[in-house]
Amino acid sequence: MAEHTPSFSIIVPVYNRPAEVKDLCESLLQQTDKDFELIIVEDGSTVACKDIVDDAVARGLRASYFYKENEGRSIARNYGIERSNGHWLIFVDSDCVIPPQYIDTLARELKDSGLDCFGGPDAAHDSFTDTQKAINYSMTSFMTTGGIRGGRIQLEKFVPRTFNMGFTREVYERAGGFREMFSEDIDMSIRIRQAGFSIGLIRPAYVWHKRRVDLRKFFRQVYVFGMSRITLALLYPGSLKAVHLLPACFVIGVLVCILLAIFVSPWWLMPLAVYFLAVFIGALASTHSLHISLIAIPAAAIQLGGYGMGFIKAFTTKILLRRGRNIEEEINIRKGKNERH
């Protein structure tokens, strides 16, 4: 008897994260709806996770493991798509843990939604460290950039992110796959909309996302996010909105307040104190933890400051000074590389 074709293919690029893949597989073994397959694409890792995937398969998980040379997460995702079977192509990060009802929720919510592409939110699991929980609050709170990233208060049209995103196979066939670039999920979402497909947020379909484990790595991540926003603005004129300028305004505002406090009056530090007090109170109301709320203060500063500094750096070099490779040329090179896979 032929094996049942799954409704959902969960495609995960992996690079040196065996412990995270183990947690991911364990969570998928607990799904209440088994109508899915897992596609793991090991993108040139030096520490492979094949044994972990094989063990999960032996315990009943429908999964396939592929190893390829290191070329980037977007190429790895496209590689996985071509080897998948499901009607819906689902993308999560390797450091995600999937709640038991996730597939069941998707099947129910998508049945009559009419959506061609969806995104879901992320949250912090009780087992995460306090730093991870503080970073999660910073990434999802309206006090930082949660309004840009699918928070409960939306500041712009919702854009799915690849820590929890999916679209139909028809979308892939018409809009193409991911391009190897930073903020490739935003680029993908823009192309999906331009192709005439519908996109929506399915809030009940959340994942637990470990994100970065320390603030230094978190800074590097959001700095790149800020730089990539300029890349997207060059690729898609008109896509840059006023809300995307807020982190850069935050950086400039902090510098102005500090300079005025030094040369005019210490009272100019009051706006910063009020803002960080609001972050603390918001985090306390959300997490009910004094320690997490205290860590949320530097996390919020890094979230806005890192993004803002990356944005300012890229704006200065790529737009004001017109330095670096032509953005269309760069993307075409990456696109051609993707199409070979």
Side-chain angles (χ1 to χ4, degrees):
M1 182 180 294
E3 190 174 16
H4 166 70
T5 300
S7 297
F8 302 95
S9 293
I10 302 175
I11 299 161
V12 186
V14 176
Y15 183 74
N16 288 340
R17 286 193 170 185
E20 287 83 355
V21 171
K22 182 176 181 179
D23 289 343
L24 173 63
C25 288
E26 289 294 333
S27 68
L28 289 174
L29 280 165
Q30 304 304 315
Q31 290 299 301
T32 56
D33 187 330
K34 307 294 185 182
D35 190 17
F36 70 93
E37 65 175 352
L38 172 66
I39 306 292
I40 293 288
V41 181
E42 191 97 66
D43 188 36
S45 300
T46 57
V47 184
C49 63
K50 185 179 187 302
D51 290 346
I52 293 168
V53 177
D54 287 345
D55 177 70
V57 170
R59 295 164 58 197
L61 183 64
R62 182 173 179 176
S64 299
Y65 172 91
F66 300 95
Y67 185 95
K68 59 179 291 299
E69 64 178 299
N70 178 249
E71 295 178 283
R73 58 184 179 267
S74 290
I75 294 174
R77 288 191 187 104
N78 295 339
Y79 185 98
I81 291 172
E82 291 299 322
R83 288 153 181 80
S84 66
N85 301 289
H87 171 66
W88 278 94
L89 308 170
I90 311 299
F91 306 92
V92 299
D93 287 344
S94 57
D95 60 352
C96 287
V97 177
I98 314 301
Q101 75 286 355
Y102 179 79
I103 294 295
D104 184 60
T105 300
L106 279 183
R108 184 179 64 252
E109 295 285 333
L110 290 171
K111 183 177 180 181
D112 300 313
S113 69
L115 291 176
D116 303 300
C117 173
F118 78 89
D122 61 343
H125 190 268
D126 289 341
S127 65
F128 292 1
T129 68
D130 283 358
T131 298
Q132 287 174 318
K133 291 175 181 177
I135 289 174
N136 181 79
Y137 171 79
S138 177
M139 291 291 278
T140 58
S141 171
F142 178 72
M143 295 298 297
T144 53
T145 62
I148 303 177
R149 301 177 59 83
R152 290 195 172 274
I153 301 177
Q154 294 288 300
L155 298 181
E156 67 162 351
K157 189 177 293 185
F158 173 68
V159 176
R161 312 285 173 144
T162 45
F163 61 75
N164 186 5
M165 175 184 186
F167 46 77
T168 65
R169 191 167 296 276
E170 181 186 0
V171 168
Y172 171 69
E173 291 169 352
R174 285 179 49 190
F178 292 95
R179 300 199 283 199
E180 188 56 36
M181 58 182 290
F182 293 117
S183 294
E184 72 281 2
D185 41 15
I186 302 177
D187 169 74
M188 186 74 199
S189 295
I190 292 174
R191 288 188 287 118
I192 289 172
R193 278 202 171 97
Q194 289 179 340
F197 292 106
S198 59
I199 298 177
L201 170 64
I202 300 182
R203 200 173 292 282
Y206 64 91
V207 300
W208 292 309
H209 194 188
K210 296 177 185 178
R211 297 193 181 277
R212 294 300 183 262
V213 296
D214 63 58
L215 296 178
R216 179 177 55 84
K217 293 178 180 177
F218 181 46
F219 174 83
R220 290 204 303 265
Q221 180 187 44
V222 294
Y223 184 85
V224 170
F225 287 167
M227 294 188 69
S228 66
R229 180 55 68 177
I230 297 300
T231 299
L232 292 165
L234 292 171
L235 273 173
Y236 304 103
S239 66
L240 188 65
K241 308 299 182 183
V243 66
H244 300 137
L245 304 177
L246 292 178
C249 293
F250 172 84
V251 171
I252 295 170
V254 168
L255 291 175
V256 169
C257 286
I258 291 175
L259 289 173
L260 289 173
I262 293 172
F263 296 108
V264 179
S265 168
W267 284 102
W268 279 101
L269 293 177
M270 185 60 68
L272 301 182
V274 170
Y275 171 74
F276 288 119
L277 178 62
V279 169
F280 173 81
I281 293 172
L284 189 61
S286 175
T287 66
H288 308 290
S289 166
L290 179 62
H291 188 232
I292 295 173
S293 301
L294 289 171
I295 301 174
I297 295 174
I302 289 171
Q303 162 74 354
L304 289 172
Y307 190 109
M309 284 188 276
F311 183 98
I312 292 170
K313 170 70 178 300
F315 180 85
T316 302
T317 57
K318 293 187 176 183
I319 294 181
L320 296 182
L321 301 179
R322 298 182 180 276
R323 291 179 182 172
R325 184 189 294 168
N326 177 276
I327 193 63
E328 285 288 358
E329 177 187 355
E330 182 176 332
I331 293 301
N332 285 334
I333 290 172
R334 290 169 174 170
K335 182 180 179 181
K337 190 176 184 182
N338 285 14
E339 288 174 345
R340 292 198 297 270
H341 300 269

